[in-house]
Amino acid sequence: MRAEHPDPPAPADSASYSPRLRIVERGKVTSVGDGVVWIEGLPSARMDGIVRISDGSEALVFHLAPDRIGAILLTTTPALMPGCEARQSGDILTMPTGDGLLGRVIDPLGMPLDGGTAPDCSGRRAIEGDSPPIIARDFVDHPLYTGSKIVDTLIPIGRGQRQLLIGDNGTGKSALALDAVISQRDQNVRCLYVMIGQKRSSVVQTIDTLRTHGALAYTTLVVAEATASTGIRYLAPFAGCAIAEEWMNAGHDALIVYDDLTTHARAYRELSLLLRRPPGREAYPADIFYLHARLLERSTRLSAANGGGSMTALPIAETEQGEIAAYIPTNLISITDGQIHFDSKQFARGVLPAIDITRSVSRIGGKAQHEAIKREAGRMKLDYLQFLELEVFTRFGAKLEASMEARIRRGRLLRDILAQDRLDPHSALDQLAWLIACNEKLLDGLDDGELDTALHRLRTGAAGTGLTLDSPRTEWLTAVRGWLSTTAEQA
Amino acid sequence: MQLDWTTFLLQIVNFLVLVWLLKRFLYRPVLDVIARRRQGIEKALSDARDAEARAETLRQDYERKLAEQDSAQAADMARLGDEIAAERRRLMAKLDAELAAERERQVALVEKQTADAGRKAGDTARAAALSFVSRLLGRLSGAELDSRLVDMLIEDLATLPAEQLEALHDAAAAPEASLQLTTARALSEADESRLLGALADTLGRSLPITKQIDASMQSGLRVGIGPWMLAASLADELAFFRSGARRAC
């Protein structure tokens, strides 16, 4: 039998409207617990529809069974108990959107968590939306600088790209994501940082870091703490995505960080088990792939006819003992356009950032890299990888030919140059300056202290230069020589 | 001085000797000097002619090279001109493409903003209309309207599709089935009697009834039967409007 709700005729079709008896479905809450409510009845309920319960609570339909539905509790009241009446609202879950969210910390339902008033938003957007069709998309050809020397030169990221940050716990994934957010200052990129299932101390630290670096002004934090209900943790990335998607559709560039999708997968699994869904491969619900693919597929660069906006996604995935062949990591690797792998062994050796270049790849970022940086970076990654292979021989004390020793010396120099402190993003101009200095062998033969001074000089010089990435190389070379000669004189 | 033939002959001899001596020691060297000078002059003239010839050759060569240089320069200039023109065309094409893309982008954004603004205006208008209607009907609602809504329920109950009637029938057939009647205010006995009669006819049996008053309904009634609810109230109709308005956006 078809009920009136949730599909009444639209009032736009006013000619067909007639006042009459409405027959609507009426459900009954049978059990409540763990952020989930079971409702009997409502046979025409549909996935992601909102159900209103007589006590004032609201729930999101998440599981359909022949005789009942399972729903995620969005809001609850103390009066919610079995026996309450439930009715379909005909609504779907939406998020407030707009620039009023910049600088705010909100939960996945759009409620403020920063003690402020409700965000002044220009609109609302469904948290579950279709990804843009292929004809609405454009090539990824604009760079997005993360501030990381390794990433911006060897594993570049373009606006609209989906780049996975993967590695063991505590290897610097979030730091790189924060670097990327901080680097967007004055780049006209709106940022979203989605924190899923993290401790309150981590949330506070992240907010403080962004505020300290002046990045909060153009960033929105969507926070679902570890203490939040499973459903809220599950909704967090979709809520963030909806906000970023609205910016993308308004013609802006957006950067969204999902920190992290492994926790999200756990929340989804927990939710699935609570709703007694059958587990899939490796005891995970099999549709987690579909879930994450659906989420990340919404990140893209739109064509000019569709506003030309972009949404760059930096999903974070945690591995255990560096095992990237586990279910969730392999899912995410296959969905994204590349991955930056963080190695715990490198981290333990003090090689920071602990990015494992051999396992990291950016499949489309090269197209977006600026010509000048691309030209200078050239074969650098390949040379560095060859150096890493050659370096193995030095462990055995083998005597190498002069050319090999030169390559090893150069590789070590490059490793020293690529070392970078946490939360210390470098500008694109600085990247070009050290690349030119390195390629012109101007940094060869410097000891550690001299190298640090030289790099500092290059950074200071690049920051105050009137040159741009498009300036001729000769001008850059003259400038770089000038900055380094100042260093030499001081030495 | 005595002039005789001997003297005359001697003088002649003397003269001849003098002539020979002059020729031998003065005239010949002078001739040699003159010849050498002439040779020198001729050599200088020859050298000058050679130099002139070489200079002419060099001048011609220079002029040829100058002409070639001019020609090459002209060719280079033409090539440079072509390259500049090609580069300009390329840059202009790129600029045109960028401008076209930017124009397209701006048009798309303006269209989106216009559509958003239209949607928001529609939302606002619908919300205002609902508010007005709600207030108007709230003022007009009363026992008479309740009675007319009961009439509407009874009238429409008889014309329900067979599928809906069957579902209601099944719900009423359950052993523990009952009717939950919620009204904005207590119905008159006549209205309640008419309603229960019509429901009994439709459901095929009389069911136990529980009554409830809910003033938020403004006017009208709801009848709950198992998983179904028959709604003929102002609040439900306005909710129906609101839901439909959202869907139309």
Side-chain angles (χ1 to χ4, degrees):
Chain A
M1 173 175 163
R2 185 173 177 78
E4 293 291 351
H5 285 286
D7 290 316
D13 188 16
S14 55
S16 64
Y17 169 72
S18 65
R20 58 187 164 88
L21 168 65
R22 310 279 169 200
I23 300 186
V24 295
E25 291 168 4
R26 192 173 64 148
K28 190 169 75 175
V29 174
T30 56
S31 71
V32 183
D34 298 317
V36 168
V37 61
W38 287 99
I39 299 167
E40 270 184 7
L42 303 183
S44 69
R46 62 181 179 185
M47 290 292 283
D48 299 322
I50 289 184
V51 172
R52 295 213 168 88
I53 304 171
S54 56
D55 72 307
S57 303
E58 286 188 333
L60 183 75
V61 178
F62 195 71
H63 181 68
L64 300 175
D67 55 341
R68 58 183 178 169
I69 61 171
I72 301 168
L73 276 169
L74 301 174
T75 57
T76 54
T77 70
L80 177 62
M81 61 183 68
C84 287
E85 186 181 305
R87 290 171 68 180
Q88 292 186 71
S89 70
D91 291 340
I92 53 172
L93 190 56
T94 58
M95 270 300 281
T97 56
D99 286 350
L101 290 171
L102 292 174
R104 302 300 304 269
V105 184
I106 56 172
D107 73 5
L109 299 176
M111 304 305 291
L113 294 176
D114 50 10
T117 54
D120 178 22
C121 293
S122 54
R124 297 190 75 86
R125 189 176 188 85
I127 67 162
E128 276 276 8
D130 292 337
S131 59
I134 288 176
I135 53 166
R137 300 180 185 224
D138 206 345
F139 295 109
V140 171
D141 56 6
H142 282 66
L144 184 126
Y145 296 109
T146 62
S148 164
K149 292 181 189 175
I150 294 177
V151 175
D152 289 345
T153 55
L154 306 181
I155 319 160
I157 298 173
R159 294 185 182 187
Q161 186 172 338
R162 302 156 301 172
Q163 185 78 357
L164 180 65
L165 309 182
I166 187 169
D168 284 0
N169 184 27
T171 47
K173 301 184 293 299
S174 299
L176 180 70
L178 283 172
D179 265 358
V181 171
I182 292 166
S183 290
Q184 304 315 313
R185 188 168 50 195
D186 303 326
Q187 300 296 314
N188 202 20
V189 175
R190 288 159 171 76
C191 300
L192 248 154
Y193 203 100
V194 183
M195 306 187 80
I196 310 163
Q198 298 201 15
K199 289 181 290 187
R200 182 160 294 183
S201 59
S202 303
V203 175
V204 170
Q205 197 179 4
T206 302
I207 296 169
D208 280 348
T209 304
L210 292 174
R211 185 179 287 122
T212 307
H213 289 83
L216 204 54
Y218 55 85
T219 305
T220 302
L221 282 104
V222 177
V223 177
E225 290 181 61
T227 52
S229 71
T230 315
I232 295 298
R233 276 182 279 141
Y234 159 75
L235 289 174
F238 293 99
C241 185
I243 298 169
E245 201 170 45
E246 184 64 21
W247 281 328
M248 175 176 73
N249 285 335
H252 301 299
D253 291 315
L255 167 68
I256 183 164
V257 178
Y258 300 109
D259 192 2
D260 66 280
L261 288 188
T262 312
T263 309
H264 180 247
R266 280 194 210 110
Y268 180 68
R269 180 167 184 256
E270 197 178 320
L271 208 52
S272 297
L273 294 174
L274 282 170
L275 293 168
R276 294 166 210 166
R277 285 180 165 185
R281 189 155 53 124
E282 289 182 35
Y284 254 103
D287 51 350
I288 185 73
F289 180 89
Y290 171 58
L291 189 75
H292 283 164
R294 213 169 57 204
L295 174 71
L296 293 171
E297 197 60 25
R298 290 161 75 177
S299 298
T300 187
R301 177 159 179 251
L302 294 177
S303 63
N306 289 276
S310 73
M311 181 180 9
T312 311
L314 294 180
I316 295 176
E318 194 176 301
T319 54
E320 289 179 3
Q321 300 294 315
E323 179 57 68
I324 58 171
Y327 185 54
I328 300 301
T330 47
N331 275 355
L332 290 168
I333 286 171
S334 62
I335 293 167
T336 49
D337 302 311
Q339 72 273 355
I340 297 170
H341 187 267
F342 289 78
D343 184 18
S344 55
K345 289 176 187 164
Q346 281 193 36
F347 191 86
R349 285 205 305 271
V351 180
L352 297 175
I355 295 174
D356 184 350
I357 298 175
T358 58
R359 288 178 165 186
S360 302
V361 67
S362 176
R363 296 186 191 103
I364 58 175
K367 299 278 182 192
Q369 202 170 21
H370 191 280
E371 275 305 314
I373 293 181
K374 192 175 184 175
R375 182 187 62 228
E376 298 299 332
R379 284 173 44 88
M380 195 170 276
K381 184 173 182 182
L382 195 59
D383 291 343
Y384 191 71
L385 295 181
Q386 286 175 349
F387 150 71
L388 292 177
E389 283 187 7
L390 286 174
E391 197 189 29
V392 175
F393 290 108
T394 62
R395 292 184 194 164
F396 306 113
K399 188 170 173 58
L400 301 170
E401 357 176 313
S403 63
M404 290 226 180
E405 279 186 3
R407 287 168 74 174
I408 286 174
R409 268 200 307 278
R410 190 152 180 77
R412 284 181 179 150
L413 171 71
L414 192 55
R415 184 160 59 195
D416 290 342
I417 293 173
L418 291 173
Q420 188 173 347
D421 289 336
R422 185 174 180 273
L423 299 173
D424 182 28
H426 289 242
S427 69
L429 295 176
D430 179 33
Q431 313 272 18
L432 185 57
W434 75 256
L435 278 167
I436 289 175
C438 184
N439 286 337
E440 292 296 325
K441 299 185 171 28
L442 300 176
L443 303 174
D444 288 9
L446 299 179
D447 62 31
D448 287 351
E450 289 171 342
L451 181 64
D452 287 346
T453 311
L455 290 174
H456 179 69
R457 281 277 162 190
L458 287 175
R459 191 173 185 182
T460 314
T465 185
L467 297 172
T468 65
L469 292 179
D470 294 315
S471 300
R473 189 176 193 273
T474 47
E475 288 181 21
W476 265 101
L477 188 55
T478 309
V480 166
R481 282 186 200 280
W483 299 329
L484 289 177
S485 64
T486 313
T487 312
E489 283 166 16
Q490 286 193 342
Chain B
M1 178 176 121
Q2 192 176 355
L3 185 62
D4 55 24
W5 286 102
T6 307
T7 305
F8 183 73
L9 286 171
L10 286 170
Q11 285 296 332
I12 289 172
V13 170
N14 187 30
F15 178 74
L16 290 170
V17 168
L18 184 64
V19 169
W20 181 84
L21 284 170
L22 284 171
K23 187 179 176 184
R24 178 76 178 85
F25 294 105
L26 186 65
Y27 183 63
R28 276 194 182 167
V30 169
L31 283 177
D32 289 345
V33 168
I34 289 170
R36 279 202 300 277
R37 284 193 63 188
R38 186 175 289 124
Q39 280 177 352
I41 288 166
E42 283 173 0
K43 187 173 180 304
L45 281 171
S46 169
D47 288 349
R49 275 193 292 274
D50 289 347
E52 190 182 19
R54 278 202 306 278
E56 182 64 21
T57 310
L58 285 172
R59 190 182 63 76
Q60 286 175 354
D61 194 34
Y62 171 71
E63 283 179 354
R64 183 179 54 77
K65 283 183 179 170
L66 205 60
E68 284 175 3
Q69 195 72 26
D70 286 348
S71 167
Q73 192 181 9
D76 286 347
M77 287 295 286
R79 197 166 55 246
L80 185 64
D82 289 346
E83 284 175 7
I84 288 172
E87 182 67 8
R88 180 178 293 156
R89 277 198 301 274
R90 190 185 68 78
L91 290 175
M92 288 301 289
K94 187 180 170 192
L95 189 63
D96 282 349
E98 284 175 3
L99 285 173
E102 186 58 27
R103 268 196 300 273
E104 200 176 6
R105 184 171 164 270
Q106 290 302 330
V107 167
L109 292 178
V110 168
E111 281 174 0
K112 183 179 181 306
Q113 282 165 2
T114 309
D116 285 350
R119 242 192 322 269
K120 274 180 201 161
D123 285 351
T124 311
R126 285 188 197 98
L130 274 171
S131 169
F132 295 154
V133 170
S134 178
R135 269 185 278 172
L136 174 66
L137 293 177
R139 182 82 189 271
L140 296 178
S141 63
E144 190 184 348
L145 186 56
D146 288 344
S147 179
R148 295 189 66 180
L149 286 168
V150 169
D151 290 344
M152 186 181 83
L153 189 149
I154 293 169
E155 187 182 331
D156 288 355
L157 199 59
T159 59
L160 283 178
E163 182 196 4
Q164 289 187 343
L165 283 173
E166 190 179 346
L168 291 175
H169 210 272
D170 290 347
E176 72 283 7
S178 68
L179 291 179
Q180 294 90 42
L181 177 63
T182 309
T183 52
R185 58 189 68 77
L187 292 178
S188 66
E189 280 186 18
D191 285 341
E192 189 173 317
S193 168
R194 282 191 301 127
L195 174 70
L196 294 178
L199 286 170
D201 289 347
T202 304
L203 302 174
R205 61 181 283 212
S206 292
L207 296 172
I209 184 167
T210 54
K211 296 184 203 170
Q212 192 181 350
I213 301 291
D214 181 359
S216 68
M217 289 168 59
Q218 292 187 328
S219 193
L221 69 159
R222 287 182 195 138
V223 182
I225 311 163
W228 302 107
M229 189 160 67
L230 312 179
S233 73
L234 289 185
D236 285 310
E237 200 62 14
L238 290 173
F240 174 80
F241 276 141
R242 197 160 42 242
S243 172
R246 272 192 299 269
R247 207 164 302 285
C249 294

